[in-house]
């Protein structure tokens, strides 16, 4: 049985259409234009391409968007001052600092400096804490995107055995946390988290009704490690080469070709989780704009 492909590209398209209408309405009825700044330090090629895609999405949705490029050798102090400036800028509702940052800058200090009410990445400890106790807040974009994909693909999460591979602060931990919350329709699962200290990973992955893989290792999950009918969300983005035209060749953390023969549904790489991450950043920015305008919103 070949798996149904859960297309993040298609689901993203739907959500962006909905957001476009919402932005239009915010402008017409309330005179509010969602504002997003993306701050890029240096010119790491992957970061440049992520920031470019975020800016394009913001522009297409009719946001007020600012791309702020800073040199690789910007001091930590100057970067913190820049964040302070955007914290105080009423036209900006969302601040995104593209990670990773150069080694001489403490990422933690930078994340802490962002006003939690403009933290559209959902990385500030205030938002992380609220997420853990189930309060409204900015959810981190990749885990939020995964929740929305599961919901729109009609996957039954309530009561499911979910196995997450990876425990990073941006993917593994938050997605595990969100799925175990007593929340419908996407939540109330029994969640297991695997990592490099897990003794027998296949023992766990074979039990999964839903398997979410964010290990950052190409094809670390193979067909022998999953059961028939599993739903697979592959978060990994691994650059495994370049085409003669110089384009990156990508693959996920799951061996797509073999696993799709056993899975009921699977996300592709590219075109799976990636587009959803950017879309949820846009969603968070719209929610931030509503928050600052004193309108009902999902984050407060
Ligand atoms: P990360 O910070 O490197 O964390 C990887 C996690 O996987 C760690 O917890 C690590 O365990 C675990 N791990 C690594 N190899 C493993 C193995 N062989 N068996 C079991 N666990 C293993 O990575 P991340 O930031 O979460 O990202 C994961 C992947 O998702 C990357 O490919 C990244 O590019 C991709 N990503 C994609 C998007 C998107 O929008 N599509 C967004 C974010 C990330 P330890 O904790 O024990 O080291």
């Amino acid at each position: 049985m070949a798996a149904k492909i859960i297309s993040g590209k298609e689901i993203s398209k739907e959500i962006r259409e909905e957001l476009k209408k919402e932005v239009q309405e915010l402008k017409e009825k309330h005179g509010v234009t969602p504002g997003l700044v993306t701050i890029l330090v240096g010119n790491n090629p992957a970061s440049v391409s992520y920031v470019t895609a975020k800016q394009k999405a913001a522009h297409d949705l009719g946001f007020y968007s600012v791309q702020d490029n800073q040199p690789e050798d910007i001091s930590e102090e100057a970067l913190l001052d820049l964040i302070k400036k955007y914290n105080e800028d009423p036209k900006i509702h969302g601040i995104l600092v593209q990670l990773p940052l150069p080694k001489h800058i403490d990422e933690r200090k930078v994340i802490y400096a962002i006003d939690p009410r403009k933290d559209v990445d959902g990385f500030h400890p205030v938002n992380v804490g609220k997420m853990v106790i189930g309060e409204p807040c900015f959810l981190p974009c990749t885990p939020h995107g995964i929740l929305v994909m599961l919901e729109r693909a009609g996957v039954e999460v309530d009561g499911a055995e979910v196995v997450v591979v990876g425990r990073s602060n941006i993917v593994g931990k938050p997605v595990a946390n969100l799925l175990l919350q007593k929340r419908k329709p996407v939540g109330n699962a029994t969640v297991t988290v695997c990592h490099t200290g897990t003794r027998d990973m296949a023992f766990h992955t074979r039990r999964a009704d839903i398997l979410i893989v964010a290990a950052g290792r190409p094809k670390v999950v193979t067909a022998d490690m999953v059961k028939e009918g599993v739903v697979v969300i592959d978060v990994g983005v691994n650059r495994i080469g370049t085409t003669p035209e110089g384009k990156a060749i990508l693959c996920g953390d799951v061996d797509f070709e073999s696993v799709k023969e056993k899975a009921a549904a699977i996300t592709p790489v590219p075109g799976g989780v990636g587009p959803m991450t950017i879309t949820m950043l846009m969603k968070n920015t719209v929610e931030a704009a509503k928050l600052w305008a004193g309108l009902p919103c999902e984050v407060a």
Side-chain angles (χ1 to χ4, degrees):
M1 178 187 70
K4 168 185 159 187
I5 304 298
I6 304 177
S7 167
K9 214 168 152 182
E10 288 304 313
I11 298 172
S12 274
K13 219 164 121 187
E14 276 171 32
I15 299 172
R16 290 192 199 187
E17 283 308 314
E18 294 162 16
L19 286 174
K20 212 169 184 167
K21 286 193 193 117
E22 202 178 347
V23 171
Q24 197 64 33
E25 226 178 270
L26 275 173
K27 287 183 182 177
E28 286 168 9
K29 286 197 187 154
H30 303 283
V32 173
T33 302
L36 174 71
V37 59
T38 49
I39 302 173
L40 174 66
V41 177
N43 55 7
N44 171 293
S47 294
V48 171
S49 91
Y50 290 140
V51 160
T52 306
K54 289 166 186 175
Q55 277 296 323
K56 183 179 179 312
H59 180 262
D60 290 349
L61 290 176
F63 287 9
Y64 167 67
S65 59
V66 176
Q67 173 55 41
D68 194 326
N69 292 323
Q70 295 294 328
E72 179 87 21
D73 61 358
I74 185 176
S75 70
E76 186 179 275
E77 199 188 350
L79 184 59
L80 295 176
D81 282 346
L82 189 67
I83 291 169
K84 188 164 180 281
K85 182 187 97 172
Y86 288 119
N87 278 342
E88 288 162 5
D89 183 341
K91 291 210 298 256
I92 294 295
H93 307 107
I95 301 173
L96 179 134
V97 181
Q98 186 64 46
L99 302 177
L101 291 168
K103 288 203 167 47
H104 66 279
I105 298 176
D106 183 346
E107 277 185 6
R108 224 167 49 110
K109 278 193 195 161
V110 171
I111 292 169
Y112 277 55
I114 297 170
D115 185 326
R117 294 165 302 168
K118 295 194 177 188
D119 171 38
V120 285
D121 243 346
F123 292 164
H124 192 286
V126 165
N127 285 312
V128 176
K130 286 183 174 179
M131 177 195 71
V132 171
I133 58 176
E135 279 188 22
C137 62
F138 291 106
L139 296 178
C141 301
T142 302
H144 194 186
I146 294 170
L147 260 58
V148 173
M149 279 178 113
L150 290 170
E151 184 178 357
R152 299 218 176 187
V155 177
E156 179 75 30
V157 179
D158 192 349
E161 290 285 341
V162 172
V163 175
V164 178
V165 179
R167 59 174 161 191
S168 72
N169 288 338
I170 63 165
V171 190
K173 275 184 205 152
V175 81
N177 184 275
L178 288 165
L179 289 170
L180 70 78
Q181 302 222 1
K182 204 164 184 171
R183 174 167 57 191
K184 304 219 172 157
V186 183
N188 214 27
T190 302
V191 182
T192 303
V193 181
C194 300
H195 43 76
T196 56
T198 300
R199 257 187 244 128
D200 181 357
M201 189 162 82
F203 167 79
H204 297 285
T205 56
R206 278 191 206 113
R207 287 189 303 106
D209 300 318
I210 301 170
L211 178 62
I212 299 172
V213 190
R217 303 275 183 279
K219 304 184 185 181
V220 78
V221 170
T222 47
D224 57 311
M225 295 168 70
V226 303
K227 72 174 180 188
E228 290 281 345
V230 63
V231 172
V232 180
I233 306 288
D234 187 353
V235 186
V237 179
N238 303 289
R239 286 162 195 255
I240 50 168
T242 40
T243 65
E245 298 78 42
K247 265 188 86 177
I249 302 171
L250 304 178
C251 85
D253 290 351
V254 174
D255 181 16
F256 181 84
E257 288 307 322
S258 68
V259 172
K260 82 173 193 311
E261 298 305 320
K262 281 175 95 175
I266 187 167
T267 60
V269 177
V273 176
M276 292 300 292
T277 297
I278 297 180
T279 298
M280 299 329 287
L281 174 72
M282 301 301 126
K283 162 97 180 142
N284 275 351
T285 306
V286 170
E287 294 302 323
K290 292 195 277 183
L291 174 74
W292 284 88
L295 297 167
C297 65
E298 294 173 18
V299 292

